[in-house]
Amino acid sequence: MRKFLVVLDDTRECLNAMRFAALRAAHTGGGVTILSIIPPEEYQHWMGVADLMRAEARERIEAHFEVFAKWMRDKQGINPELVIREGDPVVEILAQVNEDPEIGILVLGAGTDKSGPGPLVTQMTRNSGNLPIPITIVPGDMSKERLESIT
């Protein structure tokens, strides 16, 4: 089964990337892997504090994931899997793609700010030559209706 890998973060454009991945997976008989990455700087404190911060970050991620997972299950018939990794986002995305041979497409949401599409999209497009799969970049301001019509 081909899986769509989508990154779960706190950006607005993440929503469109999630929608696109779920709709494409539903229409093509694929699956969805949702990857969330805890940056290393979030827990580089004293050991006890770091463990607590890591646990809290995981709880936030799991709660956020459940919102998307419920929508995917109820509306699209897709049961996504959650993967949580710790480290540099680009390194962890590349590692996930290389470790899971079923991942066929990386789906990212592009920001709508005048400063550009966002740091993750910028970094991943720079590293696209190192990826064994294509990247789909979904505009952050694309309407739900337009997303549905193109998937």
Side-chain angles (χ1 to χ4, degrees):
M1 169 179 46
R2 177 180 67 167
K3 293 191 283 189
F4 294 82
L5 177 64
V6 62
V7 177
L8 172 64
D9 57 24
D10 293 330
T11 62
R12 283 187 32 236
E13 56 269 17
C14 170
L15 176 60
N16 269 0
M18 290 287 173
R19 279 188 183 133
F20 182 88
L23 290 165
R24 288 295 303 144
H27 291 141
T28 61
V32 175
T33 297
I34 298 175
L35 174 63
S36 189
I37 303 159
I38 301 170
E41 65 270 4
E42 278 194 25
Y43 53 84
Q44 288 183 352
H45 300 287
W46 298 291
M47 187 59 87
V49 174
D51 290 342
L52 180 61
M53 289 178 74
R54 187 178 292 116
E56 288 173 354
R58 285 182 176 274
E59 286 176 22
R60 275 193 318 274
I61 289 166
E62 288 168 359
H64 202 179
F65 166 77
E66 275 308 313
V67 172
F68 288 113
K70 181 175 180 0
W71 175 80
M72 287 183 191
R73 285 190 297 266
D74 294 350
K75 301 292 185 188
Q76 304 304 322
I78 298 293
N79 191 24
E81 72 174 305
L82 174 64
V83 174
I84 301 173
R85 299 180 75 111
E86 298 177 10
D88 175 73
V90 172
V91 171
E92 297 306 323
I93 290 169
L94 292 171
Q96 185 64 34
V97 168
N98 288 322
E99 290 171 19
D100 188 344
E102 291 185 335
I103 293 173
I105 296 176
L106 172 61
V107 180
L108 299 173
T112 57
D113 294 341
K114 295 202 186 307
S115 61
L120 188 56
V121 170
T122 301
Q123 290 175 341
M124 289 308 300
T125 53
R126 283 187 191 136
N127 285 286
S128 61
N130 296 328
L131 274 173
I133 60 171
I135 300 174
T136 298
I137 299 173
V138 182
D141 61 355
M142 185 176 282
S143 72
K144 181 178 159 184
E145 295 75 25
R146 179 73 178 131
L147 270 172
E148 289 172 356
S149 74
I150 64 170
T151 57

